[in-house]
Amino acid sequence: MRRHGWLALGLLAYLGLPSLLVQRLGLGLIREGRQGERVVALTFDDGPDPRTTPAVLDALREAGARATFFVMADRAEACPDLVRRMLAEGHEVGSHGARHRHAWLRSPWGAWRDPGAGARRVSKVAGRPVRLFRPPHGGYTLATVLGGRAAGLTGAHWSVEGGDWHPRATPQRLREYLGARVRPGAVVVLHDAGPGARVTGPGLPGVLADLRARGYRVVPLGELEGAVPLTLADLPRRVMGGLDAVLDRLSGVRPAGGRADNLFRVGRVRFPLAEVRLADGTPLPPGTPAAEFHVNNPLMVDLGLRRSLRLARDDFREVASDLTRRPELRDAQAVFCLSALSPLLATLGFETYDLPPATARRLRRWANLLRRAYGSPPDAPEPKLSVMGRAAFLERYGERGEWGVGSGQ
């Protein structure tokens, strides 16, 4: 039993902790940038391949976009012209290792040696030092972590996985998938070689057109603002974001408009408070079907309140669209939020009501926890109810409302 205990402890240290802290939480890795501007980094793995990489480079050049390519050492040596083209067209080149094998399937010595060996070979082809490293499959062991550090490399993960490798993936599904998940500061992983290339090559022009239409710029990872290795101080924000995602899935909360870059997330609830009578006389008794919205906290923190206010006017249009398109929201009689943002929301047409003291205390504790996680002083204002009736909300933010498409604003 003692021997088995030591074995389990060794596996935890060698595989478990690196998988959790590095691969999942991103400690010590670059995985995303700040969300203050609509800028993303597209990254491509497994190339170069003369059969598929040129199409990716052509699409990027046509769109005026620049990206980061994590190349395999042997493929770079076999296709030096493609590596030189990447660099000549303003792209960034990183190492994807010497062998495309998951770190968990390698010996500790092989996993430790691979980052440095691959980077040296890629650097020789590129004619310049390579500093970014992404292991095959994004997999880490303790040996991979230590080997990368010994070689002076910075690990680069991702925040959005394109899924182009999936057997059911198609170019159109790739566009739709990324359209729903891309957000400012995202690091997207795609493939210019291997199974994913059959989807990414044909689908990339459409993806780039969609990003451009939504106001995004595409830059190499090294130019993405705030894309630095995560430290222990960054983990509370990362953990809180993960907790938000879990709670959203459990409660049926989804980004407004089905897009991760929307400022709001919306779900159907039964109105949880004592009866409220709105200014137009409409009663809102407990249990009334309603749409509760939550703020996309990382986006709002990086934007700041003033820019968030401008974005809110636009993004509430997507909330209005959800009220009519999402089946579970079609009977919602009001749109509301329980938060410390009532002064901001009042400028957007919401009525404000005090909360029961116990509810206000509970929400203020949660708000202060969020503020600590995102680096703000823990002195949240008193939470209040901000609410607007369905008809008033659609009149204001629907297609022909004050901020709708038909308003001309």
Side-chain angles (χ1 to χ4, degrees):
M1 287 296 295
R2 181 176 298 178
R3 183 172 63 184
H4 290 160
W6 282 111
L7 178 61
L9 187 62
L11 287 174
L12 176 64
Y14 185 72
L15 299 178
L17 289 179
S19 178
L20 174 62
L21 296 177
V22 180
Q23 185 172 343
R24 297 298 177 189
L25 294 179
L27 185 63
L29 304 182
I30 297 172
R31 66 176 308 276
E32 61 187 351
R34 289 178 55 80
Q35 298 191 33
E37 301 290 342
R38 289 209 162 191
V39 183
V40 298
L42 297 185
T43 66
F44 298 89
D45 289 1
D46 293 357
D49 186 326
R51 297 167 298 179
T52 52
T53 299
V56 171
L57 289 169
D58 291 346
L60 291 168
R61 182 177 59 190
E62 182 68 22
R66 293 176 298 127
T68 300
F69 289 83
F70 289 95
V71 302
M72 298 300 305
D74 57 345
R75 292 187 169 185
E77 291 165 343
C79 305
D81 289 347
L82 283 176
V83 175
R84 284 192 286 267
R85 179 182 171 186
M86 292 171 185
L87 296 170
E89 295 182 0
H91 304 297
E92 185 176 37
V93 172
S95 173
H96 200 38
R99 298 182 63 191
H100 199 278
R101 178 178 293 181
H102 197 290
W104 287 25
L105 303 178
R106 307 197 65 170
S107 69
W109 168 247
W112 183 89
R113 185 176 178 275
D114 190 85
R120 285 191 295 271
R121 292 168 61 185
V122 172
S123 296
K124 186 175 180 180
V125 175
R128 63 184 69 178
V130 167
R131 296 302 180 202
L132 293 178
F133 168 66
R134 175 181 289 162
H137 308 286
Y140 284 87
T141 66
L142 182 59
T144 312
V145 174
L146 296 178
R149 290 187 177 180
L153 301 172
T154 299
H157 206 61
W158 58 80
S159 55
V160 177
E161 185 173 12
D164 52 358
W165 47 267
H166 195 280
R168 289 191 300 232
T170 65
Q172 182 59 32
R173 286 183 178 177
L174 178 68
R175 289 183 68 173
E176 295 169 355
Y177 187 87
L178 292 181
R181 288 162 178 78
V182 164
R183 58 187 181 272
V187 176
V188 182
V189 60
L190 296 166
H191 298 82
D192 65 306
R198 68 174 178 82
V199 172
T200 289
L204 188 58
V207 169
L208 292 169
D210 293 345
L211 290 172
R212 184 170 58 250
R214 289 164 59 180
Y216 280 93
R217 290 188 298 115
V218 179
V219 301
L221 190 52
E223 297 180 21
L224 188 65
E225 182 186 2
V228 296
L230 268 66
T231 67
L232 287 173
D234 300 315
L235 285 187
R237 173 172 171 149
R238 172 82 174 115
V239 170
M240 190 58 67
L243 179 59
D244 264 346
V246 170
L247 293 176
D248 284 355
R249 281 196 295 270
L250 292 176
S251 56
V253 173
R254 292 157 48 191
R259 287 176 18 190
D261 58 5
N262 196 286
L263 188 59
F264 304 108
R265 301 130 52 210
V266 188
R268 182 188 188 277
V269 298
R270 296 285 182 177
F271 189 66
L273 304 174
E275 179 169 323
V276 170
R277 187 168 292 275
L278 301 180
D280 64 1
T282 301
L284 194 61
T288 301
E292 182 178 15
F293 67 90
H294 309 263
V295 173
N296 183 336
N297 291 298
L299 179 59
M300 187 171 191
V301 168
D302 287 353
L303 284 173
L305 283 176
R306 182 174 297 178
R307 292 168 65 199
S308 295
L309 176 61
R310 293 198 297 268
L311 182 61
R313 292 187 175 113
D314 290 331
D315 283 5
F316 270 137
R317 293 187 304 187
E318 298 292 346
V319 177
S321 179
D322 282 353
L323 287 179
T324 60
R325 295 181 184 177
R326 284 172 55 177
E328 73 274 22
L329 297 179
R330 287 175 182 163
D331 65 345
Q333 299 304 302
V335 179
F336 77 94
C337 179
L338 306 177
S339 74
L341 299 173
S342 54
L344 171 68
L345 294 172
T347 68
L348 298 171
F350 285 83
E351 301 174 30
T352 301
Y353 297 89
D354 290 334
L355 295 172
T359 302
R361 285 194 299 270
R362 174 176 58 83
L363 291 176
R364 190 169 189 180
R365 286 195 294 268
W366 176 248
N368 282 331
L369 179 62
L370 287 173
R371 291 171 72 90
R372 288 190 180 94
Y374 290 105
S376 302
D379 55 354
E382 189 72 13
K384 295 182 182 293
L385 165 68
S386 299
V387 62
M388 195 184 305
R390 179 189 183 92
F393 188 85
L394 290 176
E395 181 179 359
R396 191 179 187 97
Y397 294 106
E399 287 190 358
R400 301 190 180 278
E402 179 181 355
W403 298 106
V405 175
S407 68
Q409 301 196 28

